Amino acid sequence: MILATYMPFYRIHEVLEYFTRNVELIKPGRAIVYVDNVFHDRQREVLSKVIPSTIEVRVGNWRSRSGTWFTMLSDFQGEGDVAIMDSDNILDPLFPKAHSLMNYDMYTVLDREAWNRGAPNTMLRSRKIGEISLGETSIPVFGYRVYEPGFRRKGTVLFIGPKQVVVYRKLPDLSIIRKVEEAFLEVPPELRPFINDEGVLGILAYLSGIRETPWIVMSNHMHHGSEHPPSRTRKAIVASAHIKFAKALRKRFSDKAFRQYERKYMLSLIKDAWYLF
């Protein structure tokens, strides 16, 4: 298995804080870190001094989490099982055993902290689809509904669900990745960071024929705490970014899901637009 994580340059300390611990726990065949916002040789010099030589480092200036994902999913084509995790998480030591029992092309992991809070937004679109047995412990397996067209429902029309870790036994087809990436790159660069990677991954799953994302609880979220609560102004900007992305997707895919996606964010923009002025 490949174990990978990704982060902007300003969060490289999380490699030492968390990712090295995951590598020690899981003992993957390869460990890889993708670092965004890298554009200068001095930055590469810093990375070579900070990140252990046992971990592969790949850099870019994608300037968004979603942009980084397109590169990772393209790079890992034909590589076998891949687990890509958020950089501020620590996996459960039982993860390798759980992975051997999760016989799905793709599944994801929710953190225990969200589970203990009831994970209300996640559970609204989830149902129990099975369980796996880890010795004397039974772990429930849930399925998250990737496509939710209802305008009155909270959340994005297309969404992968929990995403502390995304595990692929079968990656999305490269042609699908390329077409979605082309649509993403039609969004102005300053708006791309406002398109959440959970939504992009949900779109890739949907186009791959996945209607439910299997998920289990198998990590601890050591939240980085560097983000601010979203303002109404930010919500309007987010809606604008998603509308442009939805329009670009509709040019490439004749699926009603993308029309619903666009309509929902149009309604959101109408509701929040006056906060921009």
Side-chain angles (χ1 to χ4, degrees):
M1 173 191 283
I2 291 175
L3 183 65
T5 192
Y6 59 107
M7 67 202 65
F9 185 78
Y10 73 88
R11 285 173 58 183
I12 60 171
H13 61 283
E14 293 179 344
V15 176
L16 300 179
E17 289 287 323
Y18 312 123
F19 192 62
T20 53
R21 293 168 64 179
N22 289 310
V23 173
E24 291 169 3
L25 282 170
I26 306 306
K27 296 179 174 55
R30 291 166 65 195
I32 306 175
V33 170
Y34 282 75
V35 186
D36 194 5
N37 308 116
V38 176
F39 51 86
H40 196 282
D41 287 342
R42 286 288 189 180
Q43 291 178 292
R44 295 180 178 86
E45 184 180 328
V46 169
L47 291 171
S48 68
K49 293 178 179 178
V50 171
I51 299 178
S53 60
T54 53
I55 296 175
E56 298 177 43
V57 180
R58 299 182 185 179
V59 301
N61 195 24
W62 305 283
R63 290 175 291 171
S64 71
R65 290 179 296 175
S66 296
T68 311
W69 269 98
F70 289 121
T71 297
M72 290 191 294
L73 294 175
S74 299
D75 285 354
F76 294 143
Q77 294 287 319
E79 292 281 5
D81 292 3
V82 180
I84 303 173
M85 65 184 304
D86 284 1
S87 58
D88 56 357
N89 270 252
I90 296 177
L91 282 164
D92 193 296
L94 292 174
F95 174 74
K97 186 173 182 181
H99 174 68
S100 69
L101 300 172
M102 291 290 287
N103 296 315
Y104 302 96
D105 288 344
M106 182 268 286
Y107 70 90
T108 68
V109 170
L110 178 73
D111 57 286
R112 297 186 189 283
E113 290 71 23
W115 177 256
N116 291 337
R117 293 192 301 269
N121 293 335
T122 299
M123 294 308 296
L124 277 174
R125 284 168 67 161
S126 296
R127 66 185 183 95
K128 186 176 179 180
I129 59 174
E131 59 182 39
I132 57 175
S133 179
L134 302 179
E136 298 180 355
T137 304
S138 290
I139 305 293
V141 180
F142 295 91
Y144 182 92
R145 192 164 58 254
V146 170
Y147 175 51
E148 175 52 73
F151 290 152
R152 294 188 179 184
R153 299 269 187 155
K154 289 183 67 176
T156 306
V157 170
L158 291 156
F159 203 78
I160 199 172
K163 191 206 58 91
Q164 303 306 316
V165 188
V166 183
V167 182
Y168 290 99
R169 295 185 188 276
K170 180 181 179 182
L171 287 158
D173 188 83
L174 188 58
S175 64
I176 293 174
I177 296 169
R178 290 281 183 259
K179 288 177 74 173
V180 176
E181 183 178 20
E182 286 172 7
F184 182 76
L185 292 176
E186 283 194 20
V187 178
E190 63 271 22
L191 292 181
R192 292 174 199 161
F194 294 100
I195 297 174
N196 53 48
D197 47 349
E198 293 94 340
V200 169
L201 293 172
I203 289 165
L204 291 170
Y206 180 82
L207 291 171
S208 301
I210 296 171
R211 295 297 178 264
E212 274 189 328
T213 303
W215 61 269
I216 54 175
V217 180
M218 195 60 65
S219 84
N220 289 104
H221 188 187
M222 321 300 287
H223 197 279
H224 59 86
S226 65
E227 294 179 351
H228 299 289
S231 64
R232 297 295 290 271
T233 298
R234 180 185 172 92
K235 288 179 180 178
I237 296 171
V238 167
S240 300
H242 279 279
I243 290 166
K244 289 186 177 295
F245 188 32
K247 288 180 181 296
L249 288 165
R250 286 206 295 112
K251 289 195 302 187
R252 291 164 174 81
F253 303 100
S254 56
D255 193 298
K256 66 179 182 180
F258 299 120
R259 186 172 294 278
Q260 290 294 96
Y261 175 30
E262 181 182 357
R263 286 172 177 167
K264 186 164 185 179
Y265 275 104
M266 284 295 295
L267 291 173
S268 176
L269 181 60
I270 290 168
K271 183 174 70 174
D272 294 316
W274 72 281
Y275 284 93
L276 290 172
F277 305 102

